[in-house]
Amino acid sequence: MSGISASDAAAISRHFRVEPGTKVDLGHHDTRNTLGFERPRDAKELLHETTEVLAEYQRRLAAQDSDSLLVVFQAMDAAGKDGAIGHVMSGVNPQGVRVTSFKAPVGVELEHDYLWRHMVALPERGMIGIFNRSQYEEVLVVRVHPELLERRKLPGALEDTGIWKRRFGEINGFERYLVDNGCHLVKIFLHVSRTEQRERFLARIEEPDKNWKFSAVDIRERARWDDYMRAYEDAITHTSTKWAPWHIVPADRKWFARIAVACIIGDKLREIDPRYPTITPEQRAELQAAERELRDEP
Ligand code: ATP
Ligand code: MG
């Protein structure tokens, strides 16, 4: 198999995109889907070629210095967010990318509204920002554990029955504002099955080098699987917008998930289509003068 063309990447991205207005049922999204690709012997090579495209577009994005790209990753534990981020971004200049991992908010974060910490972590113009978990935790983990709202110091939060719908609207508005101001979004839900999560947890327990990744909290959250699925379905249904649609990427096959993620990000970068700035005739004359001076050096 040779590289993935721009039109194949666009088709893969389109396939996993949630069209705005669609009611999402995660049970209908096969976590083992590989779109008919069999694990190519050269999966690594294929991913490498796809990430080279990202590297080139990142250079152009930086040179153009007007737009930025924010990639949001959400998933259940052990779905492979970290691995996907590491592999997909491996070819990109580290100076052009910033990854921010969001844990439960603490300290000054709790003194502000829930979007504040995400706002300050946004990518600068010319940069790619990656959110490893995001503002969506506020309508996912907080929805599954409403007692977390108590710590948010929100006036009357617990009595506010319309809070989730309202937050979907707030997040949509926030994202619309970002896109209107040159920060494009790609939102990816890595969809792993409950059975595959079990296998990966067991591996984390059995293999000493993976022990550090395991946390007893993960088992507690796993027990709430169905509640999480309902929260994800509702969140994705209400926040897949024209300006920032979700992609539900099957994640039971890591090699495929990584290639699909690279295609989705690559497709968005092609759509942004950043260009190296062209120079003015005056700048060209300056370059030529500098060249003459350098060549004439004794
Ligand atoms: P892994 O998949 O390797 O476990 P992770 O993203 O789960 O990676 P952890 O350090 O295990 O990283 O967990 C981060 C935790 O922070 C998650 O359980 C997540 O639900 C929680 N978290 C993130 N944002 C919020 C939030 N706004 N409110 C409450 N909890 C949050
Ligand atoms: Mg975790």
Side-chain angles (χ1 to χ4, degrees):
M1 182 193 275
S2 62
I4 294 184
S5 68
S7 62
D8 287 346
I12 291 174
S13 178
R14 209 176 315 116
H15 188 89
F16 295 120
R17 184 179 310 150
V18 178
E19 288 309 320
T22 317
K23 191 172 181 334
V24 173
D25 177 346
L26 287 172
H28 289 155
H29 291 258
D30 180 5
T31 54
R32 302 201 295 181
N33 189 2
T34 61
L35 291 182
F37 286 92
E38 286 186 26
R39 184 186 185 133
R41 271 213 307 279
D42 51 351
K44 269 204 176 123
E45 185 58 26
L46 197 58
L47 181 62
H48 179 71
E49 283 170 24
T50 320
T51 58
E52 272 180 349
V53 174
L54 301 189
E56 166 60 14
Y57 274 95
Q58 184 279 321
R59 284 192 286 273
R60 292 198 213 171
L61 196 70
Q64 181 175 281
D65 199 24
S66 58
D67 296 53
S68 59
L69 175 64
L70 173 64
V71 187
V72 167
F73 281 95
Q74 282 292 153
M76 294 297 282
D77 282 310
K81 284 185 281 99
D82 292 356
I85 294 168
H87 282 85
V88 170
M89 289 297 152
S90 58
V92 177
N93 180 351
Q95 295 201 76
V97 188
R98 181 153 68 117
V99 183
T100 311
S101 299
F102 291 99
K103 314 284 177 194
V106 290
V108 67
E109 295 173 335
L110 290 169
E111 300 301 322
H112 291 273
D113 58 278
Y114 69 95
L115 291 176
W116 177 81
R117 64 177 183 153
H118 304 287
M119 188 81 92
V120 294
L122 288 171
E124 293 161 25
R125 296 192 194 282
M127 296 276 297
I128 297 178
I130 295 183
F131 282 3
N132 183 351
R133 301 193 184 274
S134 66
Q135 58 274 17
Y136 286 96
E137 290 290 323
E138 289 289 324
V139 290
L140 296 166
V141 65
V142 179
R143 191 171 188 182
V144 173
H145 298 282
E147 66 278 8
L148 291 176
L149 273 179
E150 277 175 64
R151 288 189 225 145
R152 300 294 194 269
K153 305 188 192 177
L154 282 172
L158 294 180
E159 296 89 61
D160 185 351
T161 49
I163 189 165
W164 311 118
K165 272 256 158 64
R166 207 183 62 235
R167 283 189 167 186
F168 295 149
E170 288 161 356
I171 292 173
N172 288 341
F174 170 61
E175 293 178 352
R176 175 80 223 209
Y177 163 83
L178 295 184
V179 174
D180 285 348
N181 285 278
C183 177
H184 308 265
L185 276 108
V186 165
K187 301 191 294 197
I188 292 174
F189 171 57
L190 287 182
H191 186 23
V192 76
S193 66
R194 193 161 190 263
T195 346
E196 179 64 22
Q197 189 198 54
R198 178 172 171 271
E199 293 311 308
R200 294 185 189 175
F201 279 173
L202 284 172
R204 288 178 179 189
I205 293 167
E206 283 160 13
E207 297 170 35
D209 287 357
K210 290 188 176 172
N211 285 170
W212 64 276
K213 285 193 189 176
F214 188 75
S215 142
V217 179
D218 295 348
I219 294 291
R220 203 186 63 202
E221 295 310 295
R222 175 178 166 78
R224 305 292 303 274
W225 187 274
D226 291 342
D227 297 328
Y228 272 106
M229 290 304 107
R230 298 298 86 75
Y232 267 108
E233 284 170 345
D234 207 32
I236 296 174
T237 297
H238 287 97
T239 60
S240 209
T241 55
K242 219 166 69 212
W243 55 92
W246 275 100
H247 292 84
I248 300 178
V249 172
D252 281 6
R253 305 275 185 263
K254 284 183 182 171
W255 65 268
F256 180 76
R258 290 168 188 173
I259 290 173
V261 166
C263 287
I264 294 166
I265 299 175
D267 185 53
K268 175 53 98 177
L269 284 166
R270 284 193 189 92
E271 183 194 312
I272 300 171
D273 194 21
R275 304 287 174 99
Y276 291 112
T278 49
I279 56 171
T280 61
E282 292 77 42
Q283 286 168 324
R284 160 115 8 240
E286 256 175 50
L287 284 181
Q288 283 163 347
E291 186 186 12
R292 272 195 304 276
E293 205 176 312
L294 287 169
R295 293 203 187 285
D296 291 348
E297 269 183 16

